[in-house]
Amino acid sequence: MQRVAVLGATGSIGGSALDVIARHPGVMRASILAAGRNVAALVALCATHRPAHAVIGDEAALPALRDGLREAGCATRAHAGDAALAALVAGDDCDTVVAAIVGAAGLESTLAAARAGKRLLLANKESLVLAGELLMQAARAGGATIVPIDSEHNAIFQCLHGRDADARVRRVTLTASGGPFRGRSRAELAGVTPAQAVAHPKWSMGPKISVDSATLMNKGLELIEARHLFGLPEDRLEVLVHPQSLVHSLVEFIDGSVLAQLGLPDMRTALAVGLGWPQRLESGVGALDLATQGPLEFGPPDLETFPCLRLAREALRAGGTAPATLNAANEVAVSAFLQGRIGFLSIAALVEDALAAIAVEPAASLEALRGIDARARRHAERAIATGAIR
């Protein structure tokens, strides 16, 4: 019986993971569920899936979690805080960890799972963007298996049959839907609202990742992830806009062959790959009928209108702590946009300002990366508070 820890259980990816797990009751079960602050939603999931442990990120919410589990008649043990979660994922109560906590908050538990040699279904992109070198070193040292759950990286993983890229790979191309504002000019984006930005045309996702998709920062972060996951240099990583979101990535080999993975835009496919690899599992996703889909379109990204993709590539080239600065400034900027404190176009402006202001240092340790992360957040918050960037 495969025991699965679902971190970020109350989010969209966590919900998809639990759906796949529930389809295979004789093969796997959810043994640990973790959420950030939503006690009621976590208790409801525990009542359905009956895990051995539940973890709430907000330590002040631990009494409410205990009370909720008791009232629901659950024998699930309640825990709170990052340290408790890291200890649980590194312990004997799970074999597989779905790392779907949004933002840098998911880093500690992801690293703990990697060091402990777990099968790590990685949906927390910030772990690779902020600390990719450290995470991959931890995975190698601990003997962990990393299966990326982003649809694009999962597609590459499948095309490479679970192996690292090597000299036979000429180029890897990640596809982007283009988000809700594809085809618009920069001037047309000045007044867009948070509600418009989170209305993704193809994927059902949380607000932060939806805004990242709208700015194309999501694709920039995925370039950085791909660099670490598959060991490819920046000049062998490309992006194509593909609004139908059916071709998730392409891998071109030196003989001219190109392999692509296609599927309906549903995260359960990638999660089923991760949970079952190298076997295939029923995911609940319907069949792809290409005859009814119409033409498939591809085109280059508009870097003038969506400069976040350019900024991410520049951070990737710079290396060291530059991706950590990019990620931290972007998290602050997206949060401020969702709160109505800055405009949509100011997201990229804040990130560019932070990259220019904060010198690149070697990514020598987690402490150094956290220091840069905090510094970049302070810089971005100050720029917002002083009105330097509106």
Side-chain angles (χ1 to χ4, degrees):
M1 176 73 72
Q2 184 180 181
R3 298 163 302 165
V4 185
V6 182
L7 316 186
T10 58
S12 59
I13 295 175
S16 294
L18 289 169
D19 180 87
V20 175
I21 292 166
R23 293 172 185 275
H24 302 277
V27 178
M28 61 187 70
R29 62 181 293 266
S31 60
I32 300 170
L33 298 183
R37 295 183 179 86
N38 195 335
V39 171
L42 182 57
V43 169
L45 290 175
C46 290
T48 299
H49 298 280
R50 302 286 167 169
H53 303 275
V55 188
I56 195 76
D58 181 1
E59 296 190 27
L62 179 59
L65 177 60
R66 284 178 177 151
D67 291 345
L69 290 171
R70 184 175 60 253
E71 291 169 6
C74 292
T76 302
R77 294 180 58 189
H79 310 264
D82 293 341
L85 180 58
L88 281 170
V89 300
D92 297 330
D93 287 302
C94 66
D95 315 295
T96 298
V97 177
V98 179
I101 296 174
V102 175
L107 179 57
E108 185 173 350
S109 54
T110 302
L111 279 169
R115 293 183 184 120
K118 303 301 173 81
R119 173 175 289 210
L120 182 57
L121 276 57
L122 190 59
N124 173 263
K125 62 176 69 277
E126 288 80 7
S127 295
L128 282 168
V129 174
L130 178 62
E133 293 179 17
L134 297 178
L135 178 59
M136 299 310 291
Q137 289 170 4
R140 286 190 292 269
T145 298
I146 295 181
V147 182
I149 299 306
D150 270 349
S151 61
E152 296 80 3
H153 300 110
N154 189 266
I156 298 165
F157 178 89
Q158 292 187 60
C159 290
L160 294 173
H161 300 287
R163 297 188 292 268
D164 289 341
D166 56 27
R168 295 171 295 177
V169 175
R170 178 181 291 162
R171 177 172 54 185
V172 164
T173 300
L174 292 83
T175 58
S177 70
F181 306 133
R182 179 179 61 89
R184 296 196 192 185
S185 68
R186 186 168 177 80
E188 291 174 316
L189 298 181
V192 302
T193 66
Q196 292 171 321
V198 301
H200 195 280
K202 290 291 182 180
W203 296 95
S204 175
M205 304 181 294
K208 195 270 182 182
I209 192 172
S210 295
V211 174
D212 282 347
S213 180
T215 64
L216 292 194
M217 179 59 88
N218 192 46
K219 209 53 50 179
L221 298 178
E222 288 174 8
L223 285 176
I224 299 170
E225 288 180 90
R227 164 71 184 91
H228 293 296
L229 284 168
F230 306 110
L232 285 167
E234 177 267 336
D235 60 1
R236 289 163 65 190
L237 297 168
E238 301 293 339
V239 172
L240 272 179
V241 174
H242 168 52
Q244 291 76 30
S245 296
L246 297 178
V247 177
H248 300 303
S249 280
L250 307 97
V251 177
E252 179 181 351
F253 295 88
I254 56 174
D255 60 5
S257 299
V258 178
L259 298 186
Q261 187 267 335
L262 288 76
L264 294 173
D266 191 316
M267 291 303 299
R268 291 178 297 173
T269 297
L271 287 157
V273 169
L275 290 166
W277 189 263
Q279 306 302 318
R280 295 282 179 174
L281 297 176
E282 170 62 45
S283 67
V285 179
L288 172 60
D289 184 358
L290 287 173
T292 65
Q293 292 294 331
L296 302 184
E297 304 168 75
F298 301 90
D302 180 355
L303 299 183
E304 180 178 348
T305 303
F306 302 99
C308 282
L309 180 54
R310 169 181 59 81
L311 295 172
R313 194 177 279 278
E314 289 173 3
L316 176 56
R317 291 188 188 120
T321 56
T325 297
L326 174 98
N327 179 70
N330 180 65
E331 283 193 17
V332 171
V334 170
S335 177
F337 168 69
L338 289 170
Q339 295 168 29
R341 297 165 58 203
I342 62 172
F344 182 78
L345 295 178
S346 296
I347 296 173
L350 273 167
V351 173
E352 188 160 24
D353 178 66
L355 286 171
I358 299 174
V360 178
E361 301 174 9
S365 67
L366 186 56
E367 290 71 26
L369 289 165
R370 282 179 169 155
I372 287 291
D373 178 87
R375 185 177 169 191
R377 290 174 191 275
R378 288 194 301 270
H379 182 90
E381 288 286 8
R382 187 163 52 247
I384 297 169
T386 60
I389 295 174
R390 297 184 183 273

